[in-house]
């Protein structure tokens, strides 16, 4: 129900968007989908280049050594997995945008017989439902970064609690151990923030295309291959 209300609000506001959201030529939607596909490929290529550059500069090794908790690597793997899913989702939306009578359009017409509300809810689930899960994982990267911050400070506090005296040698060792906790906190926070921003940008583009595709279907228009 929440997805359907969101989709209805977005489709009602679509007429006021700059690019003639609903009055644009029928082949505009496939062109938008194609631009999104190219944008995702460029972003994926940039991600691969940054990963290669970090390898050449030894940053991956520093990440392994600086974050023994492994939380940073969990965030990185999660970001890679969601990025791959976004690429697959772009293909799905692009196929629907290109098809004059795609599966979503046909299903929407069939479901109209059951009632507009039911058809709209099912359309919202098809177009935006998977994005809700992806947004949760994107938010999880930020939460994992905050978890790493907490873990890092716990490590620092634990080292302080073990201190028995303030002799110079022990203080030096204590500072070295506290630095390890600080590294965990900083690395996980940085990786979580970058991953969250990276995934948020991709999902925002997906939502925009899904909004436009759903508005086209609600308006009863057929897509045209570009």
């Amino acid at each position: 129900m929440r997805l359907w209300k969101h989709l209805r609000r977005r489709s009602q506001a679509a007429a006021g968007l700059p690019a003639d959201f609903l009055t644009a030529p029928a082949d505009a939607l496939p062109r938008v989908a194609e631009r999104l596909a190219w944008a995702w490929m460029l972003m994926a290529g940039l991600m691969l280049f940054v990963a290669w550059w970090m390898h050449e500069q030894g940053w991956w090794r520093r990440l392994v050594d600086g974050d023994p908790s492994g939380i940073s690597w969990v965030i990185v793997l999660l970001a890679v997995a969601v990025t791959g899913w976004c690429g697959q989702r772009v293909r799905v939306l692009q196929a629907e945008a290109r098809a004059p009578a795609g599966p979503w359009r046909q299903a929407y017409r069939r479901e109209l017989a059951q009632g507009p509300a039911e058809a709209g809810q099912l359309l919202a689930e098809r177009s935006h439902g998977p994005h809700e899960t992806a947004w949760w994982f994107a938010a999880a990267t930020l939460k994992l970064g905050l978890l790493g911050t907490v873990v890092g400070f716990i490590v620092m506090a634990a080292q302080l609690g073990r201190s028995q005296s303030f002799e110079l040698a022990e203080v030096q060792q204590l500072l070295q151990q506290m630095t390890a906790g600080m590294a965990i906190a900083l690395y996980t926070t940085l990786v979580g923030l970058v991953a969250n921003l990276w995934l948020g940008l991709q999902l925002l583009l997906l939502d925009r295309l899904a909004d436009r595709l759903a508005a086209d279907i609600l308006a009863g228009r057929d897509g045209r291959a570009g």
Side-chain angles (χ1 to χ4, degrees), residues 85-218:
W85 179 88
C86 287
Q88 178 62 30
R89 186 64 178 174
V90 167
R91 294 180 59 186
V92 171
L93 294 176
Q94 189 177 27
E96 289 293 335
R98 286 178 176 274
W104 291 7
R105 299 178 191 275
Q106 295 179 12
Y108 178 71
R109 294 184 188 122
R110 289 195 305 267
E111 291 152 0
L112 276 177
Q114 305 174 11
E118 289 78 3
Q121 290 173 17
L122 292 172
L123 175 61
E125 182 60 34
R126 292 189 195 98
S127 60
H128 292 78
H131 300 187
E132 295 285 317
T133 304
W135 275 110
W136 185 91
F137 281 111
T141 60
L142 187 60
K143 292 179 174 64
L144 286 171
L146 295 176
L147 175 63
T149 304
V150 174
V151 170
F153 281 109
I154 289 176
V155 171
M156 293 174 60
Q159 299 302 329
L160 282 174
R162 295 175 183 175
S163 178
Q164 301 295 330
S165 66
F166 290 96
E167 296 180 1
L168 181 58
E170 186 173 348
V171 169
Q172 290 177 342
Q173 183 180 5
L174 177 63
L175 290 175
Q176 184 177 5
Q177 294 170 343
M178 289 179 62
T179 301
M182 180 62 71
I184 294 174
L186 294 178
Y187 274 119
T188 53
T189 302
L190 177 62
V191 174
L193 286 173
V194 172
N196 183 260
L197 292 172
W198 177 261
L199 297 179
L201 176 59
Q202 297 181 69
L203 293 172
L204 180 62
L205 294 175
L206 284 178
D207 277 346
R208 294 291 292 172
L209 179 57
D211 286 339
R212 186 155 186 171
L213 177 59
D216 240 35
I217 296 175
L218 288 173

Side-chain angles (χ1 to χ4, degrees), residues 1-148:
M1 180 63 71
R2 184 168 64 88
L3 274 175
W4 162 236
K5 291 180 179 178
H6 163 78
L7 180 56
R8 185 169 55 183
R9 287 196 301 269
R10 297 296 291 266
S11 62
Q12 289 172 347
L17 291 176
D20 295 329
F21 200 75
L22 292 178
T23 59
D27 62 349
L29 184 58
R31 289 200 301 268
V32 172
E34 185 175 359
R35 286 197 295 268
L36 176 60
W38 279 108
W40 181 86
M41 285 189 284
L42 287 174
M43 294 175 68
L46 177 61
M47 183 180 69
L48 292 175
F49 172 77
V50 171
W52 170 82
W53 180 83
M54 291 179 64
H55 172 72
E56 291 297 314
Q57 299 297 320
W59 281 102
W60 292 120
R61 173 54 57 186
R62 296 181 191 178
L63 186 62
V64 171
D65 296 337
D67 180 19
S69 69
I71 295 177
S72 295
W73 279 103
V74 173
I75 297 173
V76 170
L77 293 176
L78 186 58
V80 171
V82 177
T83 297
W85 179 88
C86 287
Q88 178 62 30
R89 186 64 178 174
V90 167
R91 294 180 59 186
V92 171
L93 294 176
Q94 189 177 27
E96 289 293 335
R98 286 178 176 274
W104 291 7
R105 299 178 191 275
Q106 295 179 12
Y108 178 71
R109 294 184 188 122
R110 289 195 305 267
E111 291 152 0
L112 276 177
Q114 305 174 11
E118 289 78 3
Q121 290 173 17
L122 292 172
L123 175 61
E125 182 60 34
R126 292 189 195 98
S127 60
H128 292 78
H131 300 187
E132 295 285 317
T133 304
W135 275 110
W136 185 91
F137 281 111
T141 60
L142 187 60
K143 292 179 174 64
L144 286 171
L146 295 176
L147 175 63

